Amino acid sequence: MKLKITALSCLAILSATHLAHASAGNTSLPEPSNRFWWPKTLDLSPLRAHDVASNPYGSNFDYASEFQSLDLAEVKKDIEKTLKTSQLWWPSDYGHYGPFMIRMAWHSAGTYRVGDGRGGAGGGQQRFAPLNSWPDNANLDKARRLMWPVKQKYGRKLSWADLMILSGNVALESMGFKTLGFAGGREDDWEPDHVYWGPENTFLDDKRRTKTGGLKGDLAAVQMGLIYVNPEGPGGNHDPLSAAQDMRLSFGRMAMNDEEIVALVAGGHTLGKAHGAHKPEHCVGAEPEAAAIEEQGLGWKNKCGKGNAEDTVTSGLEGAWTSTPTEWSMQYLDNLFKFEWVTEKSPAGATQWVPSDPFADNLVPDAHQKDVRHAPIMFTTDLALKRDPEFRKISERFLNNPNEFDHAFAKAWFKLTHRDMGPRARYVGAEVPSEEMLWQDPIPAPSYKLIQADDISDLKARILSSNLSDQAMIKAAWGAASSYRATDMRGGTDGGRLRLLPQKNWTVNDPAELEVVLSALEKVQSDFNETQQDGTQVSFADLVVLAGNTAIEHATHQSDPSMKLSLPFSPGRGDASQAQTDVASFSFLEPKADAFRNYFSKESFYPPLKAMVDKANTLNLTVPEMTVLLGGLRTLNVNTAGDQRGVLTSTPGVLSNDFFINLLDMSVEWKKSDIEGVYKGYDRETQVEKWSASSVDLIFGSNSELRSIAEVYASEDGRIKFIEDFIKAWTKVMNAGRFNLE
């Protein structure tokens, strides 16, 4: 797919140029890192990523406000002018950069994967390695340079992340398509994300398949360095039916169904062309990250012919799908079904398809040379839309109903380019669609008077009278809040989906115990709401957080009456309905591991320690926040299924720093038990068993960085700091995803 892939013919040259650069360009030896010497050391770097110290605009920069100050119509005019102004250093195909910018936008957004919420357009990550040097992103460095004058003009008011997507929208509109709209608000990152892109160490390699042909973990692309799938079919087999299965697998893991797949492929290939004028191994130089310093961040330098225009090499496939590559039309689907298609080799040696009918040989104009014409082309993945029975039904329906096709592509394009933005509260700009999509996890805004201080005191008393245990309420609040993913801003307490399918049945939430909590809190909610005369109401989403706060305050006060905690609480969360919840989509948020509750399932792709860091990362926690939360939750005794590993205290259920004190106690000797994942702590003198723990507990005494933080909380003067830091971190998690507070 021209907009989504790069042919395997690029592999040899990419690998060769990278090795040549490594051997010839850098003679200094790098200093070995700690992980070089001790490769099993826990990597905490994801929790330090995107530090404000990296951001040249500082911590107080409000990008949403800056974007809202733009004249969006004027920005779009500047973009369209750029699209129609060809540059000598990289001439536009057919006099229009539109298809090029659609590819840039698509590849920026198309890395999103629903499994862990990573990837996507947010942050403008296409600017950084490895994405800026993936084979599938070949020559997109030029697309960003073409847009630099627009970025330069608007500076901080327009992020690269927004500009790349907006350029794709303007391109579509400039070529005659009506988009659904555009939402700004994507802030730029200033360093690469920590993302697991796959186990391979060679571009375009494939070591990510399960025994049944699926993809391991949360991976979505089928090969290293691709956005989606191989355009020539799996492994270059040129089989449209097996290509269809790979498309379902990959697109499905990026949140797209069959109808959306067909709409996106057909819509994307209605415009533009593929580029494979020469064999890449003979012509194309190193990718941007491996290119020489004088190239100034540009890569894939082409030494054949002009090096661009009709000599461009990108995917290795060559040609256009329609005779009007810069005009929106139905030609793609019309050509797909009108002709019989046979294979041929592109000039670069890649396998593509052309009509068997000689009449088609001169249908398509050349992108640069006057009086030169070509036959239209298709990829193996294009033929999948015709050969696969389900794809064919959809394709024929679109062909016979052009308006339906237009609408389907508009919705799929909007979803593709906005899927990772999170709730609509983050959308800014004059072109935000009024329509609310189910995939946006809609939450009704409260239409009632919010609870005030007196109401909160009243509700706390009602909660304590409900006979629920402190642990059960804390577990419920954590179960609601810890569903949040900072990777795509989904989940969290807002919406009150803890009481809905699928979340209420997640194993990690102890469904039977949770049902008791839900019933009791729903009664508190209804009783309170029915007695209010002034329009005040409390949402379930607010109530479950308030219950968790109340339980922590109560548990601590019961142990030490001098401790009168009052946890911060901000009302205003709304309650979503079951109809507003896409069960299949929301199921991806179910934790496969949660170290904070000492929960680990066999479905977890990561081992326990890495899963702990990954969970903390999705909650946007720092290393100290992860440390204090885990230690506090252990003493509060809220592990899943009553697991006692890590409950290192003689007063379980009380918020204390006992976890750290007892973990660092040198009178205790730790040993592996006969049960996998369980360690036992014994009194060194008597060898009497005192404690039980997991690896995610012991790592806070074993890892030197984590131990240094644990020592702070285990010190004589660390008790108050521990409680203060725990409350701050707890409140941060309870408010995660509440963008209306920002």
Side-chain angles (χ1 to χ4, degrees):
M1 298 171 209
K2 175 235 171 203
L3 294 176
K4 300 172 283 301
I5 46 69
T6 298
L8 293 175
S9 55
C10 292
L11 172 59
I13 186 63
L14 288 167
S15 299
T17 54
H18 180 77
L19 291 173
H21 171 79
S23 60
N26 187 0
T27 57
S28 63
L29 295 176
E31 179 182 352
S33 66
N34 282 347
R35 287 183 61 77
F36 171 83
W37 295 110
W38 300 283
K40 292 184 179 180
T41 298
L42 182 62
D43 183 11
L44 297 171
S45 60
L47 306 187
R48 302 190 183 98
H50 303 296
D51 189 277
V52 68
S54 300
N55 189 337
Y57 294 133
S59 59
N60 295 323
F61 177 62
D62 185 350
Y63 173 64
S65 295
E66 294 284 349
F67 181 86
Q68 285 176 314
S69 71
L70 284 173
D71 182 338
L72 191 57
E74 191 66 26
V75 175
K76 293 177 70 173
K77 286 180 183 178
D78 287 340
I79 292 173
E80 184 165 25
K81 182 179 179 181
T82 301
L83 297 179
K84 295 180 178 179
T85 306
S86 188
Q87 303 294 329
L88 288 174
W89 63 270
W90 193 260
S92 59
D93 295 339
Y94 310 102
H96 202 301
Y97 289 116
F100 199 21
M101 299 306 158
I102 291 171
R103 178 171 170 251
M104 176 180 69
W106 195 316
H107 284 218
S108 175
T111 56
Y112 174 77
R113 56 200 198 194
V114 73
D116 62 3
R118 289 185 167 86
Q125 282 287 318
Q126 194 184 90
R127 298 172 295 150
F128 304 119
L131 300 184
N132 69 353
S133 295
W134 271 8
D136 218 1
N137 287 335
N139 290 326
L140 288 179
D141 50 349
K142 286 81 171 177
R144 295 189 297 277
R145 293 298 174 89
L146 288 165
M147 277 298 148
W148 164 240
V150 178
K151 170 61 179 166
Q152 185 177 32
K153 177 178 178 179
Y154 294 103
R156 72 179 66 198
K157 295 180 183 295
L158 181 61
S159 68
W160 269 113
D162 274 344
L163 176 57
M164 284 191 273
I165 300 302
L166 182 59
S167 297
N169 262 36
V170 174
L172 285 166
E173 293 165 358
S174 177
M175 293 184 287
F177 183 77
K178 182 176 175 56
T179 67
L180 203 62
F182 171 80
R186 303 167 186 83
E187 297 182 38
D188 273 341
D189 290 337
W190 303 99
E191 58 187 77
D193 270 337
H194 288 261
V195 177
Y196 175 74
W197 293 117
E200 302 86 359
N201 53 23
T202 304
F203 281 140
L204 302 175
D205 200 1
D206 176 8
K207 296 180 180 178
R208 57 188 60 201
R209 303 276 184 162
T210 64
K211 292 180 180 179
T212 59
L215 294 171
K216 297 176 182 177
D218 295 316
L219 297 174
V222 299
Q223 291 172 248
M224 173 58 76
L226 294 187
I227 303 296
Y228 294 95
V229 301
N230 186 339
E232 299 181 66
N237 67 5
H238 323 311
D239 174 28
L241 289 177
S242 61
Q245 295 312 307
D246 257 16
M247 291 161 72
R248 283 194 178 91
L249 175 64
S250 184
F251 278 77
R253 283 177 165 236
M254 295 178 180
M256 300 295 175
N257 59 31
D258 276 12
E259 181 143 334
E260 291 163 331
I261 294 170
V262 173
L264 286 170
V265 173
H269 291 181
T270 293
L271 303 164
K273 70 181 292 288
H275 300 82
H278 302 279
K279 291 185 180 296
E281 59 269 28
H282 296 161
C283 302
V284 181
E287 66 275 14
E289 285 299 307
I293 193 170
E294 64 268 21
E295 297 300 332
Q296 290 292 278
L298 291 179
W300 299 291
K301 189 172 184 178
N302 182 354
K303 66 183 181 182
C304 293
K306 297 177 182 177
N308 52 42
E310 66 268 23
D311 293 306
T312 300
V313 179
T314 300
S315 68
L317 297 147
E318 173 63 30
W321 294 265
T322 77
S323 62
T324 56
T326 58
E327 296 177 18
W328 182 259
S329 71
M330 292 299 296
Q331 273 197 41
Y332 170 87
L333 288 171
D334 189 47
N335 286 346
L336 181 65
F337 285 97
K338 179 167 62 177
F339 297 115
E340 291 300 319
W341 298 85
V342 295
T343 59
E344 72 163 15
K345 292 291 184 180
S346 76
T351 298
Q352 55 194 41
W353 300 69
V354 294
S356 61
D357 188 345
F359 164 77
D361 288 350
N362 296 309
L363 288 180
V364 179
D366 190 84
H368 298 276
Q369 303 171 98
K370 292 182 178 179
D371 302 323
V372 176
R373 301 187 72 84
H374 309 276
I377 65 143
M378 292 284 167
F379 299 162
T380 299
T381 44
D382 292 310
L383 268 294
L385 303 190
K386 185 175 183 179
R387 302 279 182 85
D388 180 86
E390 295 305 314
F391 282 168
R392 183 182 181 110
K393 290 177 187 176
I394 299 167
S395 299
E396 289 179 328
R397 173 161 51 84
F398 285 162
L399 177 61
N400 295 325
N401 299 276
N403 289 337
E404 186 177 345
F405 171 54
D406 286 1
H407 185 62
F409 179 74
K411 292 191 72 171
W413 175 259
F414 186 83
K415 180 178 179 180
L416 168 73
T417 52
H418 294 76
R419 187 68 178 85
D420 67 316
M421 284 191 72
R424 294 178 81 251
R426 298 189 69 243
Y427 289 17
V428 294
E431 295 190 359
V432 176
S434 58
E435 181 182 356
E436 208 168 46
M437 286 47 143
L438 189 61
W439 55 263
Q440 293 172 320
D441 300 331
I443 302 170
S447 58
Y448 43 80
K449 183 180 177 182
L450 299 180
I451 54 177
Q452 303 299 312
D454 289 345
D455 303 311
I456 291 171
S457 296
D458 179 16
L459 282 165
K460 285 184 175 182
R462 293 172 185 253
I463 289 168
L464 292 174
S465 298
S466 67
N467 294 321
L468 291 171
S469 71
D470 293 332
Q471 286 90 344
M473 290 190 286
I474 296 167
K475 288 170 70 173
W478 182 262
S482 64
S483 64
Y484 177 69
R485 300 195 311 196
T487 50
D488 57 359
M489 281 69 74
R490 298 185 70 196
T493 57
D494 207 357
R497 287 187 167 89
L498 181 71
R499 74 201 195 287
L500 305 175
L501 293 172
Q503 193 172 356
K504 69 177 184 178
N505 284 343
W506 290 348
T507 301
V508 68
N509 289 337
D510 289 334
E513 180 184 70
L514 178 60
E515 184 58 39
V516 175
V517 177
L518 296 178
S519 296
L521 292 183
E522 285 172 342
K523 186 175 189 312
V524 171
Q525 179 192 18
S526 61
D527 288 349
F528 175 83
N529 288 346
E530 288 172 3
T531 59
Q532 303 310 300
Q533 303 298 317
D534 61 353
T536 299
Q537 301 280 275
V538 64
S539 66
F540 179 84
D542 273 344
L543 189 61
V544 74
V545 174
L546 187 59
N549 286 5
T550 302
I552 292 172
E553 294 166 0
H554 180 256
T556 307
H557 181 70
Q558 287 293 99
S559 172
D560 184 354
S562 67
M563 289 294 295
K564 296 182 179 180
L565 301 181
S566 181
L567 273 63
F569 175 77
S570 299
R573 301 168 182 83
D575 285 340
S577 67
Q578 189 67 67
Q580 292 171 313
T581 303
D582 185 339
V583 173
S585 175
F586 208 82
S587 293
F588 285 104
L589 275 64
E590 180 177 3
K592 300 178 180 68
D594 184 354
F596 298 96
R597 289 179 276 186
N598 236 332
Y599 174 77
F600 184 80
S601 71
K602 62 181 180 181
E603 286 77 26
S604 176
F605 180 68
Y606 298 123
L609 295 179
K610 189 168 183 179
M612 175 182 71
V613 174
D614 184 68
K615 180 67 175 176
N617 187 22
T618 61
L619 288 173
N620 202 26
L621 299 176
T622 64
V623 176
E625 287 169 341
M626 176 185 73
T627 303
V628 75
L629 272 173
L630 188 139
L633 289 171
R634 287 293 187 273
T635 62
L636 286 168
N637 195 20
V638 295
N639 286 344
T640 296
D643 188 348
Q644 290 301 293
R645 290 177 303 165
V647 185
L648 310 182
T649 178
S650 59
T651 57
V654 175
L655 181 61
S656 74
N657 59 342
D658 284 359
F659 173 85
F660 301 106
I661 293 172
N662 291 318
L663 181 67
L664 305 185
D665 183 357
M666 287 306 297
S667 71
V668 176
E669 179 183 11
W670 289 97
K671 301 177 183 179
K672 284 185 177 180
S673 76
D674 295 332
I675 304 172
E676 184 179 359
V678 177
Y679 298 79
K680 298 290 187 179
Y682 298 90
D683 184 286
R684 287 186 187 273
E685 292 186 5
T686 66
Q687 286 301 298
V688 173
E689 180 183 325
K690 293 187 67 175
W691 310 115
S692 172
S694 69
S695 59
V696 298
D697 299 311
L698 294 190
I699 195 65
F700 290 91
S702 171
N703 180 275
S704 58
E705 294 181 48
L706 294 177
R707 186 181 181 95
S708 69
I709 300 172
E711 288 172 349
V712 171
Y713 296 127
S715 298
E716 291 285 343
D717 62 355
R719 177 170 172 263
I720 299 301
K721 178 173 176 55
F722 162 77
I723 291 175
E724 290 175 345
D725 289 358
F726 178 87
I727 290 172
K728 289 178 183 177
W730 169 270
T731 303
K732 175 179 177 177
V733 175
M734 292 301 117
N735 287 332
R738 295 195 63 200
F739 299 101
N740 58 336
L741 290 179
E742 298 180 355

